Amino acid sequence: MDGKVKIGMTALLNQAKINIMRYLLNILAISMLAVFVSCEKQEQTGLNGTDGNLKITLKCAQLENVGGTKSLDKENLPDEGTGTDYRVKDYWFFEYRSDGTYIDNSAKYIVVGSEEETKTPVVMPQEGEVYYCLFIANTHNQELFDPSINPEFEKYLRENRTLAGMAQFNKIISSLEETYNVAEKDLVMSGIAELKYQANELKCFLYRNIAKVTVKLINKEDSDLTIKSVNIKNVPGTAMYADALFKVTSLPGVTPPAAPFPDNYSVSYFDYEIDNINIASNTEESFVWYLPRNMRGKVEGIASADQKNSKAPEFATYIEIFATTSAGELFRYRFYMGANATTDFNVEPNKHYTLPITFIDKGNVILDSRITDFSKVALSGMSNSYIINPLPIELQPVYQLPVTKVNQFWSSADAPAGVDNIIGETTEWVAEVIWQDQPARLVNFKDADRNNVDIFTATGLTPILFEVLKGAEGNVLIGVRKKDETKYLWSWHLWITDYNPDNCTTPWETGKYVYSVPGGEVHRYAGEFWETNYQNRYIMDRNLGALSANSTDDIEKTGGFVYQFGRKDPIPYTNINVSGATTDYTNVNIYNIKGEVINFSGNDGNPIPLEKKQVEIYESVYSPFNFYYSGVDWVKNNRYSSYNYVWNGTKSNEKSMYDPCPEGWMVPKDGVWEIFGNRGSNANKNDEDPNYNQKNAGVEFYIDAPKEGTHKSHNVAYFPAMGLRHASGGYSDAYKTRGFMHNTQAATANSRIDRWGFAIFDTKIVSIVNKTANIHQLATRNHALNIRCIREKDNVGNNDNENNKKNEEYNQVPW
């Protein structure tokens, strides 16, 4: 299996005509069965017996055909039949009493293919008793359910010797091949049958433990589309060995799983390998996938197929297709799985989901939630950072970033009098990568003809054109300067990642603190502060600029960047060489657009300049990579000294011009971290010890209740021990032992800030650093700390749905 299965529709339709009106029968004699089992009509007769030997008849349950999510064209949908996908090479046999408990030593492993038939002894029930017989076919593993060899199964027999326990046994899946069994390409099946007193024959239906999905792409002659890729996404990482137990509702202790199933937090989800294709107009091609059970439920109130995507639940499985037009336009199409085209999002085993998708034209992007136009992605120009998600194909969208923020700043009160840095109609300027944190190229600028260039040149208010590369991951700071000048007029942070916190489709609900989004999660925290200030809003699961929120990853991925209070630009994650300062930031560089190491401050070992002076805000705009330190505030003549204002803003609770968070997000208020503990108390952390002074040092804090409350293991937020840039020299301090987070407010002493943080000690004890009258626990505005962004409050009725719409309108980040 090469990660995908392609079939011809003619063959499938012919097979369907043969099989559509009947069940497929396969008769086995249990124990050393003589005959290879295939999808044939005839029965293979076993040996009857009255001494506990049974004739076993196994029938293949028909693969139920369901409608599934239909195409853009609802007419003339082909009937794809059911297919067979059934053969048996081996199987396991288990017996259970009427109460569902396992009968010792009843398990037998049968290999199909011998030329001899022998009797099969089973444990016969007494008069009035009924036993349950469980079959699991095509495991190809004699050791799988052998308690003398397999410790997991031995533990099951010791702790949970029931049918209900067997219903929880699963196999790990991480690729299409693994929905089959290794290289044999055989589907694992299961069935359950009742064995009664004095029976001499046992009949059982075998059900496939997975669902079959057939997608037929029909590209009409005049569509002007070429289909470039197809993929199936949100596949659960496990499949049940005995999924057939859920087909019978009367089994003792076995309850069919209700949506959502499987559990969001104990099972990983993945995407099958993408099929790179080239289906031109007037062409058809079909694809087949196999999926484990994924019950995401029904969502009422979806009246039409074109609105199904807008209300999709977490982890629902969908088909993703990319196509281009002759003019180079790029479109993405998504079709969610389910028994209908509107409200159903369930994938059930032993069913065949047929999705004939007909492309008549590129579709209506405005009215159809299944279509996204990536031809031109216009960023708002309203924020100082943008989350950019590379697409999984070679062709990437071209982003358009307006430079209007240049004129907004140089027309503001923070610009110096008499300095003309406005971009007018005839102003010639360039945009370039100031630095990036990865040695591989992450972006290309585009000239007027959409050719790749290293430096973007323009006149007037032309937007910056750029694309990210497929598979790119990292951070880029781009800046605009006038032609032949070195001072930057403004700069923007591109956060290139698979993380898309904007795409939280699950409504805010009481008791739910973790919400899945592509590439990670968004959170909310319990407690009165959150309920009062942040109803219906979320906070990111990672620091601004981080490439991971996984506690097992090194700080280089989870740490993100640090920011001086009130500055819009990140401080690069680099080594600082200061006499007398200790640091572990060794061999960490910053790079230009080509991936070449750069050094802004010469050969002193510090890639970024450290300047011991205060500067005006406009000077920090000129040099966004500098670290300034002097006294208690890096800003000279700071008109934002009031502690009531947000970051460096002029109105309380309003996102400022200098807020470093992406569109729709902002630095949170003081108090957002309250639930994690106060100074002097024990930290509200999970039960795992933090890693003191390790590469993945950090702490997972509970977010669902105060320390004394009841917690669920998945309700945690991870904070890496990134440390900080110290105010008295810009050197790295407390790396791998402490973590600190900014909030929007300054302390009452106008030159200082409140901060939240934690300290990890070598005894694995964690203490909380919170605001206090003790100046030692406050930080000056020179300190550079981490930031974790929270959803920006909506101005219309605090309605986060409206806020989400605003993000879609202005940010248009792909997901």
Side-chain angles (χ1 to χ4, degrees):
M1 206 74 179
D2 61 356
K4 49 189 176 292
V5 181
K6 301 182 180 180
I7 63 172
M9 286 306 301
T10 302
L12 181 59
L13 290 171
N14 289 339
Q15 186 64 48
K17 293 175 183 177
I18 297 173
N19 299 325
I20 191 69
M21 299 303 294
R22 64 178 174 80
Y23 284 113
L24 305 173
L25 304 181
N26 289 284
I27 313 305
L28 307 177
I30 203 164
S31 175
M32 303 306 181
L33 197 62
V35 183
F36 179 80
V37 179
S38 61
C39 294
E40 301 292 340
K41 284 185 178 181
Q42 67 271 17
E43 293 188 357
Q44 303 294 336
T45 304
L47 298 177
N48 297 339
T50 58
D51 56 353
N53 296 286
L54 290 185
K55 169 187 175 182
I56 307 296
T57 302
L58 299 182
K59 296 182 179 181
C60 177
Q62 186 175 16
L63 198 81
E64 181 182 349
N65 204 28
V66 294
T69 302
K70 294 305 180 184
S71 63
L72 298 173
D73 177 15
K74 300 182 178 64
E75 298 180 357
N76 303 317
L77 301 178
D79 179 7
E80 296 196 31
T82 63
T84 57
D85 297 308
Y86 177 53
R87 61 177 175 174
V88 174
K89 290 185 177 179
D90 52 68
Y91 55 91
W92 277 91
F93 171 82
F94 308 89
E95 289 187 79
Y96 297 83
R97 296 182 181 85
S98 58
D99 63 356
T101 57
Y102 173 68
I103 298 175
D104 288 336
N105 302 316
S106 68
K108 296 177 179 63
Y109 179 70
I110 311 301
V111 177
V112 177
S114 171
E115 294 185 358
E116 296 182 1
E117 291 184 353
T118 59
K119 293 182 179 181
T120 300
V122 300
V123 180
M124 298 298 294
Q126 299 297 313
E127 186 173 0
E129 287 186 315
V130 175
Y131 287 170
Y132 294 107
C133 298
L134 174 65
F135 295 86
I136 301 178
N138 288 340
T139 65
H140 299 341
N141 189 342
Q142 186 171 0
E143 301 175 0
L144 187 62
F145 300 112
D146 188 333
S148 65
I149 299 175
N150 188 336
E152 287 192 22
F153 192 64
E154 191 277 332
K155 181 180 179 182
Y156 152 73
L157 291 178
R158 180 165 26 90
E159 298 179 358
N160 191 4
R161 303 159 60 89
T162 62
L163 276 173
M166 181 61 87
Q168 304 306 313
F169 260 70
N170 57 73
K171 64 175 294 189
I172 301 299
I173 293 174
S174 61
S175 66
L176 182 58
E177 294 96 319
E178 290 174 354
T179 54
Y180 290 108
N181 202 318
V182 199
E184 300 294 332
K185 302 182 178 62
D186 301 319
L187 302 180
V188 178
M189 295 171 285
S190 58
I192 189 79
E194 291 186 355
L195 177 60
K196 297 181 179 179
Y197 173 65
Q198 288 189 336
N200 58 15
E201 184 176 12
L202 185 63
K203 295 182 179 181
C204 181
F205 275 100
L206 290 181
Y207 296 87
R208 302 158 188 85
N209 292 344
I210 49 82
K212 181 177 182 178
V213 180
T214 299
V215 173
K216 184 176 183 180
L217 302 181
I218 307 164
N219 196 2
K220 290 294 188 180
E221 183 175 3
D222 298 324
S223 74
D224 191 38
L225 290 171
T226 300
I227 302 172
K228 305 299 291 186
S229 71
V230 61
N231 185 225
I232 194 162
K233 310 194 76 170
N234 281 350
V235 180
T238 60
M240 302 300 155
Y241 278 112
D243 197 279
L245 296 182
F246 300 137
K247 295 283 185 181
V248 182
T249 58
S250 60
L251 294 175
V254 179
T255 303
F261 178 90
D263 181 83
N264 297 1
Y265 309 106
S266 60
V267 172
S268 61
Y269 285 73
F270 69 98
D271 305 331
Y272 280 143
E273 181 182 350
I274 194 169
D275 278 279
N276 292 307
I277 54 181
N278 198 58
I279 303 177
S281 58
N282 198 28
T283 307
E284 301 178 4
E285 192 165 351
S286 294
F287 302 82
V288 172
W289 294 276
Y290 296 93
L291 301 176
R293 180 184 292 272
N294 190 19
M295 308 293 290
R296 309 323 298 176
K298 294 184 178 181
V299 179
E300 301 302 330
I302 305 176
S304 60
D306 55 15
Q307 296 306 306
K308 184 171 186 177
N309 292 25
S310 63
K311 295 186 177 181
E314 290 178 307
F315 297 108
T317 302
Y318 61 89
I319 308 296
E320 181 174 81
I321 298 165
F322 284 94
T324 61
T325 66
S326 58
E329 300 169 303
L330 176 62
F331 294 89
R332 182 191 63 203
Y333 302 85
R334 284 180 169 175
F335 301 92
Y336 275 86
M337 298 291 300
N340 61 42
T342 52
T343 60
D344 193 282
F345 292 88
N346 294 314
V347 175
E348 296 185 65
N350 209 65
K351 290 189 176 182
H352 187 188
Y353 294 83
T354 58
L355 284 73
I357 303 173
T358 301
F359 293 88
I360 301 172
D361 54 35
K362 59 189 178 183
N364 192 321
V365 176
I366 297 175
L367 299 179
D368 197 329
S369 68
R370 298 171 295 181
I371 311 172
T372 303
D373 183 358
F374 286 111
S375 304
K376 297 177 182 178
V377 181
L379 303 175
S380 69
M382 299 169 62
S383 293
N384 297 313
S385 68
Y386 294 91
I387 297 176
I388 307 294
N389 302 142
L391 300 181
I393 58 175
E394 293 297 334
L395 188 62
Q396 298 290 318
V398 174
Y399 290 85
Q400 300 179 344
L401 176 59
V403 295
T404 50
K405 197 114 186 198
V406 173
N407 291 353
Q408 180 187 355
F409 173 75
W410 292 104
S411 300
S412 73
D414 291 323
V419 175
D420 181 15
N421 280 331
I422 299 295
I423 294 180
E425 291 183 2
T426 60
T427 304
E428 295 181 307
W429 54 272
V430 300
E432 62 190 358
V433 169
I434 300 175
W435 59 261
Q436 63 181 45
D437 64 351
Q438 302 297 319
R441 179 183 282 268
L442 299 175
V443 300
N444 289 318
F445 291 109
K446 294 287 186 177
D447 64 16
D449 297 321
R450 300 298 175 96
N451 298 313
N452 295 338
V453 291
D454 289 341
I455 296 179
F456 181 82
T457 60
T459 302
L461 292 178
T462 302
I464 303 169
L465 302 180
F466 69 91
E467 69 172 4
V468 299
L469 277 65
K470 175 187 175 183
E473 184 181 58
N475 293 271
V476 178
L477 189 70
I478 62 175
V480 166
R481 56 179 173 81
K482 287 185 178 180
K483 186 179 179 181
D484 299 327
E485 295 188 10
T486 59
K487 296 177 180 178
Y488 290 104
L489 305 181
W490 201 256
S491 48
W492 296 266
H493 169 205
L494 306 181
W495 187 6
I496 304 171
T497 173
D498 64 348
Y499 181 52
N500 185 3
D502 285 324
N503 187 33
C504 182
T505 59
T506 305
W508 189 97
E509 60 183 83
T510 301
K512 184 175 175 63
Y513 298 92
V514 174
Y515 297 78
S516 171
V517 296
E521 300 169 344
V522 291
H523 298 156
R524 70 180 184 90
Y525 304 155
E528 183 178 351
F529 179 88
W530 197 275
E531 298 294 329
T532 302
N533 294 278
Y534 290 135
Q535 274 279 351
N536 299 319
R537 292 161 72 181
Y538 312 97
I539 194 167
M540 294 186 185
D541 69 351
R542 66 198 65 192
N543 295 342
L544 180 54
L547 301 180
S548 170
N550 191 332
S551 61
T552 63
D553 284 336
D554 291 348
I555 297 176
E556 284 86 346
K557 292 196 70 172
T558 61
F561 295 105
V562 290
Y563 294 77
Q564 289 183 286
F565 185 84
R567 289 190 71 176
K568 67 185 180 66
D569 294 302
I571 303 298
Y573 182 92
T574 62
N575 181 48
I576 293 295
N577 182 18
V578 178
S579 177
T582 59
T583 175
D584 287 320
Y585 286 75
T586 56
N587 301 318
V588 179
N589 298 306
I590 51 177
Y591 308 88
N592 63 20
I593 191 173
K594 299 178 182 179
E596 301 166 340
V597 176
I598 55 177
N599 191 326
F600 289 112
S601 57
N603 297 317
D604 59 0
N606 302 322
I608 61 171
L610 306 175
E611 297 199 36
K612 190 175 182 179
K613 65 178 182 180
Q614 288 182 303
V615 294
E616 302 279 359
I617 288 178
Y618 73 87
E619 293 180 272
S620 72
V621 173
Y622 282 149
S623 301
F625 42 79
N626 280 16
F627 186 96
Y628 301 105
Y629 65 99
S630 177
V632 292
D633 195 348
W634 63 271
V635 183
K636 181 167 56 178
N637 302 319
N638 189 357
R639 69 189 186 99
Y640 304 104
S641 60
S642 171
Y643 64 90
N644 290 318
Y645 294 149
V646 175
W647 203 237
N648 265 3
T650 56
K651 294 183 180 179
S652 182
N653 300 325
E654 181 179 273
K655 184 176 179 179
S656 81
M657 183 191 305
Y658 306 106
D659 191 297
C661 290
E663 188 76 18
W665 300 81
M666 65 186 299
V667 181
K669 293 180 182 180
D670 179 30
V672 72
W673 321 111
E674 276 186 359
I675 195 172
F676 301 147
N678 296 312
R679 179 157 180 81
S681 69
N682 293 328
N684 185 25
K685 71 180 184 67
N686 73 349
D687 296 331
E688 297 294 328
D689 285 332
N691 289 321
Y692 169 75
N693 206 27
Q694 301 296 314
K695 291 292 286 183
N696 62 334
V699 183
E700 286 185 330
F701 291 96
Y702 282 120
I703 62 177
D704 55 355
K707 183 178 185 300
E708 298 76 17
T710 301
H711 302 287
K712 293 183 179 179
S713 60
H714 63 268
N715 285 331
V716 294
Y718 177 66
F719 291 83
M722 182 69 170
L724 75 163
R725 289 283 195 203
H726 206 279
S728 59
Y731 61 87
S732 309
D733 192 18
Y735 179 60
K736 299 194 298 186
T737 61
R738 297 191 179 209
F740 300 94
M741 304 298 300
H742 269 304
N743 60 65
T744 58
Q745 284 116 316
T748 53
N750 291 339
S751 59
R752 296 184 177 273
I753 58 174
D754 288 331
R755 65 180 178 182
W756 171 83
F758 60 88
I760 308 174
F761 302 100
D762 56 3
T763 55
K764 301 294 182 68
I765 296 174
V766 174
S767 69
I768 296 294
V769 177
N770 213 335
K771 66 176 183 178
T772 175
N774 183 347
I775 294 178
H776 177 69
Q777 301 306 329
L778 301 178
T780 71
R781 297 191 183 203
N782 289 331
H783 278 94
L785 316 178
N786 284 132
I787 288 175
R788 191 160 296 197
C789 301
I790 198 166
R791 288 284 283 149
E792 186 180 356
K793 183 178 179 179
D794 181 55
N795 294 324
V796 183
N798 196 25
N799 186 326
D800 199 53
N801 287 329
E802 291 298 320
N803 198 27
N804 280 329
K805 290 178 183 177
K806 184 177 69 174
N807 267 292
E808 292 170 5
E809 178 182 353
Y810 290 128
N811 207 15
Q812 298 188 49
V813 176
W815 37 277

